[in-house]
Amino acid sequence: MSITLQHISKSYKKVEALKDISFEVKENELFGLIGPDGAGKTTLFRILTTLLFADEGTANVAGFDVVKDYKAIRQNVGYMPGKFSLYQDLTVEENLKFFATIFGTTIDENYELIKDIYVQIEPFKNRRAGKLSGGMKQKLALSCALIHKPKVLFLDEPTTGVDPVSRKEFWEMLKRLQQKGITILVSTPYMDEAALCDRIALIQDGKILKIDTPEAIVKHYPKTIYNIGANNMYQLILSLNAYEHSYSVYPFGEFVHYTDQRTNFELNDLKKYLEAENLTGVSIQSTKPTIEDTFMELAK
Amino acid sequence: MKTIGYIIQKEFRQIFRNKGMLPIIFILPILQLVILSNAATYEVKNIKFAYIDNDHSSYSRELIEKFNASTYFSVLTDFSSEAKASSAMLKGEVDVLLVIPPYFERDLQKEKYTDLGVTINAIDGAAAGVENVYVNQIVQSFNKKLKVELLQPEDALITPVNITSIPSFWYNETLNYKTFMVPGILVLLVTMITLFLSGMNIVREKEIGTLEQINVTPIKKSQFIIGKLFPFWVIGMGLLSIGLLIAKLIFDVPMLGSLGLMYLYTSIYILVILGIGLFISNFTDTQQQAMFIAWFFVVIFILMSGLFTPIESMPGWAQIITEFNPIKYFVEVMRMVMLKGSSFQDILPQFLKTLLYALIMNGLAVWSYKKTN
């Protein structure tokens, strides 16, 4: 096991940030921590990277205890905090060299590992980090977190505030790093990214709701979901919420995801109801549940 | 060692890239030294002097002429009545008012005795005291001259023997206040700049989030702290050198003692200040907080350092507090070495106290710096 957590709890004064969290991340796994802001993801990361002590429970990273062997962990993990935290007034190359030096290594020694990522920002190596675009900052931060060849990589919301193209690229890079034998724990509030992980843990209010592969998690969804569209979206949501048999109503892109309380649900009943509510262009189709639907259902 | 070296290198790079910081470090102190040393003076000059002459005799004119001749007084017009004079003093137009009574000359000649009225604006007590002394000196010298003129030969026998004291001012013969102030203000500069810079420096890493990134690396506490603070030690020593140069070139302050001793003491003293700076930054989260706390201490330290007001005249409890003021020792040492040419033996008590202070402050600072929370 690469990462093991047993009954980890942590409170900040009266706020319970983590409540009895236990899970395991296998060697060479790409594990996703999915949850909204304030779910406790960053606290969990800070405990695993030895920046914070848990109130209760034990945790192991790469075979080392987070409290007793914190020194060994610092040698063996890479951490990329959610907030860009490199020196904005140093150049790309100076930042990388700085982190290589304090890890007691050199850029040349582990260049192989970061090559794929670093070549993309190498043309700008004399530019100050503060002047880079969001996507390039991410690449530099990832390079810095990898420069000492860590066994485990922690990425706290690496794609928050990054454009869709860079996000996609970033996940491709993660996949390639995984192939090089690095265990990756990544957190994200984006449900679409969850599908790219080997396994995911859904987390909310400091509690783990479910841990499984993305496919299996979706299968757990107990009901049939319907994509409902109409010309007046706002009125549609109001009407669906007012419908006596409605179970859940969530806006989802240009449609509304709707589930019904009844098992013998008739599409036409609903259509008639909506048309009686003066809605035009009503369309109803059944659809596959997504991780977001599952999360909403579990978080209910 | 290589790690520390690289951190130091990085730190210097960041300092020199910070366009706003460079002038603060190097230009402002020089300006401060030049301006403050010229402006912060104890000398009372340009006293606004007015008089009411109720006698209009040759004696009264002679007395006023003496005030006119003095460089300390700038004589305004005379007032015709006391009411007008006091309203002028109320408005702040007059500092010192001399009232010459009627029959001034006649009384002196016949009775050999008369009174003069002197009113002094004493809002600034210290200045009023000095003004009083000046007035007395002028009146006294006027007196002496009168004695010679008025005394009859037969009176000479009963004239009391005059005792004249001729003071000799050691270590600052001409009572040049700049000689006294420059070493003190130099101390102020070295202290302020190094304290503010070091206090804000680690907090800055906290603020921009890099500290978190550094905390997960295997770097040792000591390596990081030495790497962070060494550049400011160098800057402090650099400031001392610039300051000494200005003191010599612009103010021509005598430097009797050994330069090496000044540098030796300063090198220890800056460690105290860096320790305080680090300690402050451990307990603050933003540069703003750090700055406010540093200011708070600096103001107390400066006002209680003996730089502007002598420690000997402070109340007992305040004198005890000054024992914990590092600036006090620095001011003492600089004045002793520069003006008196004191040797290492002479400054040993201050040196040892400062050394102890440095050890305690840095011990506390390193102890309170935590990579984990």
Side-chain angles (χ1 to χ4, degrees):
Chain A
M1 286 301 152
S2 201
I3 304 172
T4 321
L5 289 95
Q6 279 165 335
H7 310 295
I8 290 282
S9 296
K10 173 76 192 174
S11 304
Y12 297 106
K13 302 233 167 74
K14 286 198 173 142
V15 184
E16 267 192 281
L18 294 176
K19 297 165 200 161
D20 194 26
I21 299 259
S22 303
F23 68 85
E24 286 175 338
V25 178
K26 294 190 199 89
E27 205 85 41
N28 202 15
E29 194 172 25
L30 178 52
F31 192 92
L33 212 52
I34 320 294
D37 293 342
K41 301 188 299 277
T42 301
T43 305
L44 195 59
F45 273 100
R46 290 174 57 89
I47 289 173
L48 292 175
T49 50
T50 75
L51 288 171
L52 199 65
F53 291 127
D55 296 338
E56 278 166 57
T58 55
N60 273 285
V61 175
F64 302 106
D65 185 87
V66 288
V67 179
K68 272 182 274 161
D69 309 317
Y70 70 94
K71 279 186 182 155
I73 290 183
R74 287 176 184 170
Q75 287 284 4
N76 285 297
V77 305
Y79 175 43
M80 190 173 141
K83 193 179 148 205
F84 179 72
S85 48
L86 298 175
Y87 294 100
Q88 313 249 3
D89 47 358
L90 294 184
T91 66
V92 168
E93 198 181 18
E94 283 162 356
N95 264 300
L96 194 59
K97 204 173 158 205
F98 175 74
F99 282 100
T101 312
I102 61 175
F103 274 109
T105 178
T106 57
I107 298 180
D108 295 332
E109 209 171 308
N110 295 316
Y111 189 72
E112 212 28 57
L113 187 65
I114 59 162
K115 196 178 150 201
D116 281 351
I117 307 158
Y118 191 58
V119 283
Q120 300 175 50
I121 48 174
E122 213 163 14
F124 313 101
K125 68 179 183 184
N126 290 323
R127 194 182 284 190
R128 307 258 168 102
K131 299 252 190 292
L132 293 175
S133 68
M136 284 202 270
K137 276 182 183 165
Q138 264 353 56
K139 281 169 197 158
L140 175 60
L142 188 58
S143 302
C144 290
L146 284 170
I147 192 66
H148 59 295
K149 214 172 181 183
K151 293 197 183 91
V152 183
L153 188 59
F154 292 98
L155 305 166
D156 190 6
E157 302 200 5
T159 53
T160 300
V162 175
D163 68 89
V165 179
S166 299
R167 264 171 66 186
K168 193 161 170 290
E169 265 180 21
F170 195 83
W171 276 90
E172 282 162 10
M173 286 188 289
L174 291 191
K175 287 278 180 197
R176 280 201 293 275
L177 287 173
Q178 193 193 2
Q179 282 158 19
K180 286 178 181 161
I182 297 175
T183 309
I184 301 171
L185 181 65
V186 57
S187 76
T188 176
Y190 300 122
M191 305 291 167
D192 55 331
E193 291 180 344
L196 302 166
C197 299
D198 295 337
R199 280 198 309 151
I200 53 175
L202 300 181
I203 179 170
Q204 198 193 27
D205 294 332
K207 275 187 291 201
I208 300 260
L209 301 173
K210 195 127 211 142
I211 300 176
D212 218 325
T213 61
E215 299 80 27
I217 279 195
V218 170
K219 276 190 197 133
H220 283 300
Y221 198 77
K223 288 182 178 294
T224 320
I225 290 189
Y226 296 94
N227 251 347
I228 302 182
N231 288 342
N232 187 341
M233 190 70 169
Y234 180 62
Q235 182 58 45
L236 176 66
I237 294 171
L238 289 183
S239 300
L240 283 171
N241 270 325
Y243 190 50
E244 54 180 328
H245 302 296
S246 87
Y247 179 72
S248 69
V249 178
Y250 294 114
F252 204 92
E254 52 181 323
F255 295 106
V256 173
H257 275 190
Y258 172 81
T259 55
D260 201 89
Q261 288 172 2
R262 295 162 297 179
T263 41
N264 56 342
F265 172 58
E266 277 297 327
L267 272 181
N268 285 332
D269 286 356
L270 181 62
K271 195 161 188 173
K272 270 180 207 148
Y273 165 76
L274 289 175
E275 274 158 2
E277 292 276 309
N278 289 331
L279 284 157
T280 52
V282 175
S283 69
I284 304 179
Q285 284 127 23
S286 74
T287 181
K288 274 189 186 159
T290 64
I291 291 170
E292 191 165 337
D293 294 310
T294 318
F295 189 89
M296 293 305 225
E297 171 62 24
L298 287 167
K300 229 180 168 181
Chain B
M1 217 38 231
K2 200 180 138 218
T3 316
I4 297 181
Y6 197 78
I7 295 178
I8 293 172
Q9 199 187 333
K10 170 215 137 215
E11 218 47 54
F12 271 120
R13 221 177 248 153
Q14 286 183 303
I15 292 169
F16 285 104
R17 273 188 197 162
N18 194 336
K19 294 279 180 297
M21 208 60 138
L22 274 185
I24 294 179
I25 298 177
F26 294 106
I27 313 251
L28 284 187
I30 297 173
L31 281 177
Q32 239 173 356
L33 188 62
V34 174
I35 293 172
L36 277 184
S37 302
N38 275 312
T41 162
Y42 294 134
E43 280 179 28
V44 180
K45 274 187 180 170
N46 305 321
I47 304 163
K48 285 171 267 175
F49 178 83
Y51 60 91
I52 302 171
D53 188 352
N54 292 320
D55 194 38
H56 296 290
S57 60
S58 64
Y59 274 16
S60 71
R61 271 190 291 276
E62 206 181 323
L63 179 59
I64 288 155
E65 209 36 60
K66 275 202 168 289
F67 278 97
N68 234 336
S70 158
T71 49
Y72 297 115
F73 294 95
S74 58
V75 177
L76 298 165
T77 47
D78 59 328
F79 288 99
S80 52
S81 76
E82 285 211 33
K84 279 183 190 164
S86 24
S87 83
M89 187 171 277
L90 195 63
K91 284 184 198 148
E93 289 163 1
V94 173
D95 293 325
V96 175
L97 176 69
L98 179 75
V99 183
I100 301 174
Y103 314 119
F104 176 67
E105 184 173 312
R106 194 195 67 191
D107 284 355
L108 273 175
Q109 281 170 339
K110 284 174 83 180
E111 329 260 334
K112 310 213 168 14
Y113 179 83
T114 185
D115 288 318
L116 280 171
V118 178
T119 315
I120 298 173
N121 173 4
I123 283 183
D124 180 349
V130 175
E131 283 158 9
N132 182 33
V133 172
Y134 290 161
V135 171
N136 270 329
Q137 274 174 356
I138 293 180
V139 173
Q140 221 124 76
S141 75
F142 180 70
N143 235 347
K144 259 190 201 164
K145 189 180 146 283
L146 284 184
K147 266 185 197 154
V148 181
E149 277 179 21
L150 295 176
L151 284 181
Q152 306 300 318
E154 59 267 30
D155 294 338
L157 290 169
I158 51 160
T159 317
V161 182
N162 243 341
I163 298 176
T164 336
S165 60
I166 304 165
S168 114
F169 299 102
W170 281 22
Y171 312 125
N172 186 358
E173 284 158 29
T174 54
L175 287 182
N176 183 349
Y177 72 94
K178 281 176 197 159
T179 306
F180 178 68
M181 288 311 287
V182 170
I185 289 169
L186 181 57
V187 161
L188 212 131
L189 289 181
V190 173
T191 309
M192 276 185 3
I193 301 284
T194 43
L195 181 63
F196 291 161
L197 288 181
S198 66
M200 282 175 11
N201 188 268
I202 289 183
V203 179
R204 185 162 167 257
E205 298 238 357
K206 251 191 221 176
E207 235 177 35
I208 57 177
T210 42
L211 196 62
E212 179 142 313
Q213 189 91 67
I214 287 186
N215 284 348
V216 292
T217 67
I219 187 169
K220 287 196 187 72
K221 230 160 95 159
S222 57
Q223 290 176 325
F224 182 64
I225 290 175
I226 293 172
K228 288 296 277 188
L229 294 186
F230 181 76
F232 297 108
W233 186 85
V234 173
I235 288 177
M237 294 307 264
L239 278 174
L240 177 73
S241 313
I242 297 174
L244 286 175
L245 211 64
I246 293 179
K248 188 79 218 163
L249 294 181
I250 300 185
F251 297 106
D252 195 28
V253 173
M255 290 188 195
L256 302 176
S258 106
L259 270 180
L261 191 58
M262 280 189 244
Y263 275 93
L264 175 71
Y265 178 81
T266 310
S267 67
I268 304 289
Y269 172 79
I270 295 177
L271 291 183
V272 177
I273 297 303
L274 293 180
I276 296 176
L278 180 61
F279 194 66
I280 291 174
S281 63
N282 286 342
F283 288 97
T284 47
D285 293 317
T286 62
Q287 295 187 64
Q288 209 175 25
Q289 288 174 350
M291 199 67 185
F292 269 117
I293 295 179
W295 257 115
F296 174 78
F297 280 110
V298 161
V299 169
I300 291 185
F301 281 168
I302 289 175
L303 291 181
M304 299 193 78
S305 65
L307 182 57
F308 296 111
T309 46
I311 289 173
E312 291 78 11
S313 50
M314 290 179 192
W317 57 266
Q319 292 197 25
I320 294 169
I321 294 177
T322 62
E323 288 291 311
F324 299 97
N325 184 352
I327 297 187
K328 170 196 159 183
Y329 299 121
F330 196 15
V331 170
E332 279 177 5
V333 168
M334 289 302 273
R335 282 179 179 162
M336 279 166 82
V337 176
M338 274 170 92
L339 308 182
K340 279 163 98 175
S342 300
S343 67
F344 183 69
Q345 279 297 321
D346 301 320
I347 66 157
L348 195 63
Q350 281 91 344
F351 186 85
L352 289 179
K353 281 181 199 169
T354 308
L355 189 65
L356 183 70
Y357 211 135
L359 290 175
I360 293 175
M361 261 343 280
N362 284 289
L364 277 176
V366 172
W367 169 77
S368 64
Y369 175 82
K370 290 202 168 60
K371 283 180 80 177
T372 316
N373 46 21

